[in-house]
Amino acid sequence: MTPHQVKLVQDSFAKVAPIAPQAATLFYDRLFEIAPQVKPMFKGDLDEQKRKLMSILAVVVNGLDKLDTVLPAASMLAKKHVSYGVEAAHYQPVGGALLWTLERGLGEGWTGEVADAWTEAYTTLSGFMISEAYPQTKAAE
């Protein structure tokens, strides 16, 4: 990611952060709509999961300019998600739900440039997490 893309992601996330509870609800509603097969993986308190999502997003977004500090935690998170039944294929609908949520949360602030920056950020991070959690997937490519 370029420094400009990092700034776009960070600035746009700062605009969504004040509506974090609503954004998290939008995200999970959309995720369960486009990937209903993942809903049974969420056995605990969904409100707590929503808080965790927004908290983790904040850490990652704020660490984009120093990825080396974020990647170890992302690796652990990816490996932990395997035990919940998460598969590499699930990252695609999660990304779709995230981008959809951001588009709604940002309204007119969701420009093509912002969308491209978020897509790059998600693609970079999810690709890393998939390679960490499913190393055989990377070897098969």
Side-chain angles (χ1 to χ4, degrees):
M1 291 186 70
T2 68
H4 180 64
Q5 287 176 314
V6 169
K7 182 164 176 33
L8 286 171
V9 169
Q10 290 173 336
D11 290 351
S12 60
F13 187 74
K15 294 174 185 169
V16 173
I19 60 160
Q22 297 93 328
T25 296
L26 281 172
F27 170 82
Y28 282 106
D29 287 352
R30 181 66 176 166
L31 179 62
F32 298 154
E33 179 184 327
I34 63 174
Q37 69 276 17
V38 303
K39 191 170 185 177
M41 292 180 201
F42 296 87
K43 296 176 176 44
D45 179 3
L46 194 56
D47 287 334
E48 178 63 20
Q49 183 61 39
K50 291 174 184 179
R51 284 187 290 279
K52 286 180 182 178
L53 169 71
M54 296 310 291
S55 175
I56 289 168
L57 270 175
V59 169
V60 170
V61 166
N62 290 325
L64 282 177
D65 52 353
K66 44 193 176 304
L67 262 182
D68 57 319
T69 65
V70 174
L71 292 181
S75 175
M76 286 184 5
L77 187 64
K79 292 171 184 172
K80 184 177 181 181
H81 277 76
V82 172
S83 69
Y84 301 138
V86 174
E87 300 171 5
H90 293 140
Y91 282 79
Q92 189 272 332
V94 166
L98 176 63
L99 297 176
W100 182 90
T101 299
L102 290 163
E103 181 178 5
R104 268 120 198 102
L106 290 168
E108 291 180 9
W110 183 254
T111 64
E113 192 177 31
V114 171
D116 290 346
W118 271 99
T119 299
E120 180 67 23
Y122 184 77
T123 302
T124 299
L125 192 62
S126 65
F128 172 78
M129 292 175 73
I130 290 168
S131 71
E132 290 292 295
Y134 314 98
Q136 69 282 2
T137 303
K138 184 129 179 110
E141 292 177 353

